[in-house]
């Protein structure tokens, strides 16, 4: 399984970015997918998750109402739309695949992308 994340960059406070993660090497449509982030000096933390059957989503409280996770199974891609960005959202964002049901810990996911850096300037 390979995951390729992209879409990071520099944005001003209040701006938006959309991250993408393309998966290969398996049956994407059967995987629970997630986004995590690692802020400077912090541990990797859960951001959002999307189910494989009903596309049910779940978000960390810190991003709820601002971020939207979605997926396109025909393109083997999961997205993270990030709106109303804040300086504290600055982090390396990672996509993760093949998590267990209700998984929000990094250890619960089998596969990881390389990360994409999001920098939000004040």
């Amino acid at each position: 399984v390979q995951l390729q994340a992209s879409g990071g960059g520099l944005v001003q406070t209040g701006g938006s970015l959309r991250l993408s993660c393309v998966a290969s090497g398996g049956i994407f449509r059967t995987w629970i997918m997630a986004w995590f982030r690692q802020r400077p000096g912090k541990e990797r933390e859960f951001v959002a998750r999307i189910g494989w059957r009903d596309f049910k989503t779940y978000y960390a409280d810190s991003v709820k109402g601002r971020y939207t996770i979605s997926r396109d199974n025909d393109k083997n891609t999961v997205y993270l739309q990030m709106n109303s960005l804040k300086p504290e959202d600055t982090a390396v964002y990672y996509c993760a695949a093949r998590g267990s049901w209700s998984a929000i810990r990094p250890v619960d996911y089998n596969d990881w992308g390389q990360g994409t850096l999001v920098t939000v300037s004040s």
Side-chain angles (χ1 to χ4, degrees), residues 28-33 48-59 68-79 101:
F28 175 81
R29 65 181 64 250
T30 67
W31 301 342
I32 291 172
M33 298 294 296
R49 181 186 72 225
I50 186 164
W52 65 274
R53 182 184 299 173
D54 54 7
F55 289 17
K56 187 174 182 179
T57 58
Y58 181 76
Y59 298 92
T68 302
I69 187 171
S70 62
R71 65 191 297 162
D72 184 337
N73 284 345
D74 291 334
K75 296 182 178 179
N76 285 2
T77 302
V78 62
Y79 304 97
W101 182 247

Side-chain angles (χ1 to χ4, degrees), residues 11 14-19 34-39 45-49 57-70 79-94 116 118-120:
V11 63
S16 298
L17 281 175
R18 189 176 81 154
L19 307 183
W35 287 95
F36 286 76
R37 69 184 180 186
Q38 190 160 11
R39 294 185 276 187
E45 62 179 353
F46 171 80
V47 173
R49 181 186 72 225
T57 58
Y58 181 76
Y59 298 92
D61 287 343
S62 58
V63 306
K64 199 174 296 182
R66 300 188 297 123
Y67 289 16
T68 302
I69 187 171
S70 62
Y79 304 97
L80 186 68
Q81 177 67 43
M82 305 184 295
N83 299 328
S84 302
L85 283 162
K86 308 173 182 180
E88 53 264 42
D89 295 319
T90 294
V92 177
Y93 284 73
Y94 298 90
T116 184
V118 172
T119 303
V120 184

